[in-house]
Amino acid sequence: MTHFDVATAAVQAALDAGARYADARVMHRRYESMSARNGEIEELSQDEDAGIGVRALVGSSWGFFAVPDLSDAAARTAGTRAARIAKASARVPGPAVDLVPTGGQSGSWASACAVDPLSVALSDKGDLLVHATKISHENGADVAEGLYQIWDTSKWFVSSEGHRIDQHVRECGAGISATVIGDGETQRRSYPSYRGQYGTSGWELVDSLDLGAHAARIAQEARELLTAPMCPSGETTLILGGEQLALQIHESVGHAIELDRILGWEAAFAGTSWLDLTQLGQLRYGSELMNITIDPTIPGALGSFGFDDEGTPATKRDAVREGRWVGVLAGRDSAAVAGLDYAGSVRSDGWSRLPMVRMTNVGLEPGPHTLDEIIDATDDGILMDINRSWSIDDKRLNFQFGCEVGWEIKNGRRGRMLRNPTYTGIGPQFWRSMDMLSGETVAWGTPNCGKGQPGQVGHTGHPAAPARFTNVRVGVRG
């Protein structure tokens, strides 16, 4: 039997057991990671699994069942049990659940990949991490660490509406960090971000990072931070580097526009949302420079795919246009409840997990300036970059972020390095204060977005460029 045959058998079994809609995903995933410390390999992890997950809809209730067995009998059993779970749940009255139409989609999609990351020799990958961490350690890092991760995922999706889709998604990325320990002070610098850079790409992405070329610099900057002056406290003009702005987008926009949070269906890990659907199309989220898109079609970005895990084709749409909130991340059922006519943002992190609304590539469209032009135009402010810590309330409204490094900006020039820089704000007030935006966009990948119970790890992308914000409170202590 093919994987499509297995999925079809599961869907038919769910229908035979009384489901009015059913879908099934066969998934096969290979994972590999390696880490190094101070010039020596520390850990190698390799894993592989496969299975099928079946959703069944009965009345107003979903049922889900998954098995790590791709035989015809196991698939049929999974379909039958998914329908039985849905039937049992449907005994509790609830609002009607419909699905926005997508049509019976057929297709095949694969992410671009020039160099298969799993085909690269382990010795070459190890040499890369050993070399970079050794250089960093020799240049002053007390702890120099490096890590790469690879995911190779194949999916086959079938639904009772006629979907028949297969996808092959290859993702990888890497990063290094240097930690130094002083007298009552620990500092860290990372490259290219605190968790590395990731994308739907082959090993060419890791090669392009050139980790070894940045290893000495981050160690020296971390040591310099030990004696740098503390970030001052007060309100000032804040310039954020693109990597930090990517996390700002993720936490204060991406999670806030997840429709299941807005509807109150989901609250695990990241809370619900301050947004009210009655304000969709009207609410002023930010300044007119703020144009946020939901775009799973970006080549190479970590949140890219051909179809989501409900079979909806990848489509670019607006979330915020010229500062006004106009769109959400939605699934077929949540969109129908909200009266919307689109979905396309549902994924799961494996065959054994129920798909849910997840960020795809949620990013900020570029502006007209460069970072140098933004600095030139700033008389007094602080530039912060590379995230170090974050906290945000369960409505995705009040936040506080810490960065690895800050620099004074005086009279249009970058000055002294500042240690332990932090800033705080309230989402819409903060975004409304954005008055300059760079066009130097990078699609930063987040490989560890947590959501759901049982917990799932999502892979998201966030195109972002340096931007300037006015009257921001910085130097928050405690």
Side-chain angles (χ1 to χ4, degrees), residues 246-472:
L247 187 63
Q248 180 78 49
I249 294 167
H250 180 98
E251 299 295 344
S252 70
V253 182
H255 279 307
I257 62 171
E258 291 171 341
L259 184 54
D260 55 351
R261 295 191 189 284
I262 295 171
L263 293 173
W265 293 3
E266 171 63 32
F269 280 109
T272 56
S273 174
W274 64 279
L275 293 170
D276 181 338
L277 276 178
T278 61
Q279 298 174 305
L280 185 63
Q282 306 298 321
L283 178 73
R284 174 61 63 182
Y285 208 120
S287 76
E288 291 189 351
L289 286 174
M290 186 184 186
N291 293 299
I292 299 281
T293 59
I294 301 164
D295 187 2
T297 71
I298 299 173
L302 191 60
S304 295
F305 47 77
F307 301 83
D308 78 348
D309 283 344
E310 291 187 311
T312 305
T315 303
K316 178 181 178 181
R317 66 179 70 256
D318 289 337
V320 178
R321 179 53 54 187
E322 296 181 344
R324 196 175 304 280
W325 176 41
V326 294
V328 298
L329 294 150
R332 295 184 63 190
D333 54 359
S334 57
V337 167
L340 304 175
D341 61 358
Y342 61 84
S345 301
V346 164
R347 289 185 291 168
S348 77
D349 75 351
W351 54 267
S352 63
R353 292 290 181 263
L354 186 67
M356 66 173 72
V357 175
R358 299 308 301 253
M359 281 180 249
T360 61
N361 298 310
V362 178
L364 184 63
E365 289 189 346
H369 301 290
T370 67
L371 175 59
D372 286 344
E373 288 172 349
I374 294 174
I375 292 173
D376 286 346
T378 304
D379 291 331
D380 186 8
I382 295 176
L383 165 63
M384 300 185 192
D385 202 13
I386 307 294
N387 184 262
R388 179 173 175 169
S389 64
W390 70 94
S391 175
I392 191 163
D393 70 15
D394 60 4
K395 291 287 188 181
R396 305 272 117 193
L397 196 57
N398 294 276
F399 62 80
Q400 178 174 319
F401 288 95
C403 292
E404 287 186 357
V405 64
W407 288 273
E408 283 183 339
I409 304 298
K410 296 288 186 185
N411 302 316
R413 303 188 65 175
R414 188 188 303 213
R416 297 181 301 171
M417 185 179 282
L418 301 172
R419 67 186 161 104
N420 302 337
T422 60
Y423 67 98
T424 187
I426 299 173
Q429 294 178 12
F430 176 79
W431 284 105
R432 290 168 195 163
S433 76
M434 183 170 66
D435 70 343
M436 293 189 76
L437 176 60
S438 163
E440 299 151 312
T441 298
V442 173
W444 294 97
T446 299
N448 60 343
C449 175
K451 185 176 178 182
Q453 288 179 329
Q456 297 191 40
V457 178
H459 293 181
T460 70
H462 302 291
R468 191 176 79 169
F469 302 83
T470 60
N471 302 317
V472 179

Side-chain angles (χ1 to χ4, degrees), residues 144-166:
E145 296 176 297
L147 169 73
Y148 77 74
Q149 297 183 90
I150 300 165
W151 298 267
D152 186 313
T153 306
S154 295
K155 306 179 186 182
W156 295 263
F157 178 81
V158 169
S159 84
S160 57
E161 294 180 345
H163 293 85
R164 187 179 175 91
I165 297 164
D166 67 276

Side-chain angles (χ1 to χ4, degrees), residues 47-123:
D47 190 28
E48 179 173 2
D49 72 346
I52 181 171
V54 188
R55 292 195 312 174
L57 183 59
V58 175
S60 60
S61 298
W62 286 104
F64 179 75
F65 199 84
V67 290
D69 183 343
L70 297 181
S71 66
D72 178 74
R76 291 182 183 280
T77 299
T80 299
R81 291 189 175 180
R84 288 177 179 171
I85 292 170
K87 273 187 176 179
S89 299
R91 293 174 184 168
V92 179
V97 173
D98 293 315
L99 305 175
V100 294
T102 63
Q105 301 287 331
S106 294
S108 183
W109 185 85
S111 55
C113 177
V115 180
D116 180 354
L118 291 176
S119 72
V120 177
L122 284 174
S123 58

Side-chain angles (χ1 to χ4, degrees), residues 16 26 62 88 134 174 177 182-183 199 275 310 366 426 441 473 475-476:
D16 292 344
V26 173
W62 286 104
K134 184 179 180 182
S177 66
D183 183 13
L275 293 170
E310 291 187 311
I426 299 173
T441 298
R473 187 181 173 203
V476 181

